[in-house]
Amino acid sequence: MINITVLINYWDLYFEGIRNTIAASLLALAGSFALGTLVAVMRIAPVRPLNWAGAAYVEFFRNIPLLLVVYSFYFGLPALGIVPNEFISGTLGLMVYTSAYIAEAIRAGILSVPGGQTEAARSSGLTYTQTMRYVVLPQAIKIVIPPICNQFLNLVKNSSILGVIAGLDLMYFGDLVNAETYDTVSTYAFVAIFYLLLTIPLSFASRALERRLARSG
């Protein structure tokens, strides 16, 4: 039986956790989108060392657990003399991890743009960078908006990893409430409800956007 008084008495902690979860997710999404775009361009650039570096980045971060990525920032940065707080360490880990998946989505979008457009842009005098910026990427981004929305949905759920390093997210404050109340069922039931309130609207919005883009295409 879920005890509603747990929510009433600890609403301030739940609210702070929700706010920090949203903040971490938005910051990680912005950073991973920028970094993922760069890696995607590296993967298809006409320079082999860049191809190899981009491929190595994607394969490395897609094939190790998210927890290890977060730990690498949480424990690794202080070893280098950089001491960010737990929230920043966790957000950086989320950003780097998610960027590998976004890079693959954007690369697929770039490859779906007809090659003739790239050739026409280059023949008109545009450099490779200008061709990517003004011709290819604007079309590719439109194509990959739905999968990027899905990655944002996954990112919100993955943000619960911040709770492991006291990253002030929803899961972290859920642990605090559980330690205070010893009502594990009620505490984490409300945590689950709040995650659903965050993710279900995103899921519906992603599907609606996908349908709209399909019609406009």
Side-chain angles (χ1 to χ4, degrees), residues 141-150 201-217:
I141 295 303
K142 180 180 179 180
I143 294 170
V144 302
I145 284 178
I148 288 177
C149 289
N150 290 332
L202 287 174
S203 179
F204 280 113
S206 176
R207 293 172 187 170
L209 181 59
E210 187 172 359
R211 288 193 297 268
R212 181 175 179 181
L213 290 175
R215 289 195 298 268
S216 66

Side-chain angles (χ1 to χ4, degrees), residues 21-80:
T21 291
I22 294 173
S25 300
L26 290 175
L27 289 172
L29 176 67
S32 62
F33 180 78
L35 185 55
T37 301
L38 176 61
V39 173
V41 172
M42 289 172 59
R43 292 210 63 186
I44 53 92
V47 181
R48 284 190 178 275
L50 290 180
N51 296 160
W52 295 335
Y57 180 94
V58 169
E59 293 303 319
F60 179 79
F61 286 108
R62 288 183 67 184
N63 289 285
I64 61 173
L66 172 58
L67 181 59
L68 286 180
V69 180
V70 172
Y71 274 169
S72 68
F73 283 95
Y74 182 63
F75 295 109
L77 290 180
L80 298 175

Side-chain angles (χ1 to χ4, degrees), residues 117-185:
Q117 297 194 28
T118 300
E119 295 172 2
R122 296 301 302 276
S123 64
S124 67
L126 294 180
T127 65
Y128 176 78
T129 301
Q130 290 173 329
T131 300
M132 280 293 143
R133 179 178 178 183
Y134 298 113
V135 178
V136 178
L137 282 177
Q139 299 179 70
I141 295 303
K142 180 180 179 180
I143 294 170
V144 302
I145 284 178
I148 288 177
C149 289
N150 290 332
Q151 286 301 325
F152 183 43
L153 184 64
N154 291 331
L155 198 157
V156 173
K157 294 182 288 185
N158 288 340
S159 68
S160 62
I161 201 72
L162 271 69
V164 177
I165 59 170
L168 305 179
D169 68 311
L170 179 57
M171 186 62 72
Y172 168 75
F173 282 106
D175 292 339
L176 289 185
V177 173
N178 184 54
E180 289 283 336
T181 63
Y182 295 101
D183 191 341
T184 303
V185 172

Side-chain angles (χ1 to χ4, degrees), residues 105-115 117 136 139-140 143-144:
I106 293 177
R107 184 174 76 96
I110 291 174
L111 294 177
S112 69
V113 176
Q117 297 194 28
V136 178
Q139 299 179 70
I143 294 170
V144 302

